[in-house]
Every structure is written in C-alpha cells, then in structure tokens.
Amino acid sequence: MERTHNKKSLKERRKHLRNNGTSAEATLWRLISNKKLAGRKFRRQHSVENYILDFYCPSEKLAIELDGERHFTELGLMEDEKRDQRLLQLGITVLRFENDDVFKATNAVLEKIASQFNHP
C-alpha cells in the first residue's frame, strides 16, 4: 500500500521548502512550534498525497496554508480549490491566511487556528 503522508519521493522537496520558507512561515512557526498553541503539535512542510502543506496538526487533522501573490491569480485560486477539496475528502480541514495577516493580525490568526481545535 502506498504511503499517503510524507512520501519518500517528496522528502527533498519538503526539506528544500523548510529551509527556504517565507518570513511569514518562519514567524508563524515560531508561534506554533513546540506545542506553543494550546499544546498542539504542528509539523512544517508535511505532505499528504502529492500536496505539501505549510503546517499540519495531525491530532486535529488541520492544515494551515500561508498564501502569497501566486495564490491570488485565477490559476492559483483554481489549484487551491482543487487541493482543498481533496484534503477535505481525506478529512483534513484547511485554513488559509495571507502572508501579511501573520504580521498585521497575528493574534487573529492564532485565534482562528485555535478555534478549529476539537477540544480544549
């Protein structure tokens, strides 16, 4: 049976993305890593099928995506919709934030993430 999560074929790509992330990703990671947000463990650049998620909380089946300019093109919006629908079919909820939100509305971003947790 083929792996669904963290396929070996995507390992180098995940590593590259972790080491070359955006400043918004680095900032959010500092705020949610090491169980800093309500004791939840998050992973960076976690893959599900052929999709690489910016952040993933396995206990909540929650993906967090930080979107830059390319996500707001017609093609980017269509690809994101297809991706989000597939992840939802797999039972994974996707939250999307603009990169700027991490800097300009940090508390709102963290509150929105925490609001998706199933239990305190």
Side-chain angles (χ1 to χ4, degrees):
M1 185 170 148
E2 188 179 359
R3 289 176 69 149
T4 303
H5 289 257
N6 286 336
K7 290 181 176 181
K8 291 189 187 312
S9 63
L10 294 173
K11 184 176 182 176
E12 288 304 313
R13 179 77 179 134
R14 289 192 313 269
K15 184 177 178 180
H16 173 79
L17 290 170
R18 266 193 304 277
N19 292 333
N20 297 283
T22 65
S23 57
E25 289 172 352
T27 297
L28 185 58
W29 182 242
R30 280 193 299 274
L31 297 169
I32 67 173
S33 64
N34 299 315
K35 300 184 180 182
K36 289 178 191 155
L37 187 60
R40 299 312 193 278
K41 178 173 179 56
F42 283 87
R43 296 178 180 158
R44 278 177 71 196
Q45 305 303 336
H46 179 87
S47 68
V48 177
E49 293 187 341
N50 289 321
Y51 300 115
I52 299 177
L53 312 174
D54 291 337
F55 304 99
Y56 180 66
C57 178
S59 66
E60 299 292 339
K61 295 190 90 174
L62 177 64
I64 300 168
E65 292 292 304
L66 298 182
D67 296 340
E69 286 183 29
R70 80 164 197 86
H71 291 272
F72 302 106
T73 64
E74 187 175 340
L75 178 61
L77 291 168
M78 287 184 347
E79 288 174 348
D80 287 346
E81 178 64 24
K82 179 182 172 188
R83 170 189 174 114
D84 291 355
Q85 287 302 315
R86 178 60 187 142
L87 292 169
L88 193 57
Q89 289 172 344
L90 296 170
I92 297 171
T93 300
V94 180
L95 288 182
R96 290 186 171 278
F97 300 99
E98 291 186 40
N99 285 335
D100 282 351
D101 292 343
V102 173
F103 305 112
K104 296 178 179 174
T106 308
N107 287 337
V109 168
L110 294 174
E111 288 171 13
K112 178 69 174 175
I113 295 167
S115 77
Q116 299 298 304
F117 296 159
N118 290 314
H119 48 81

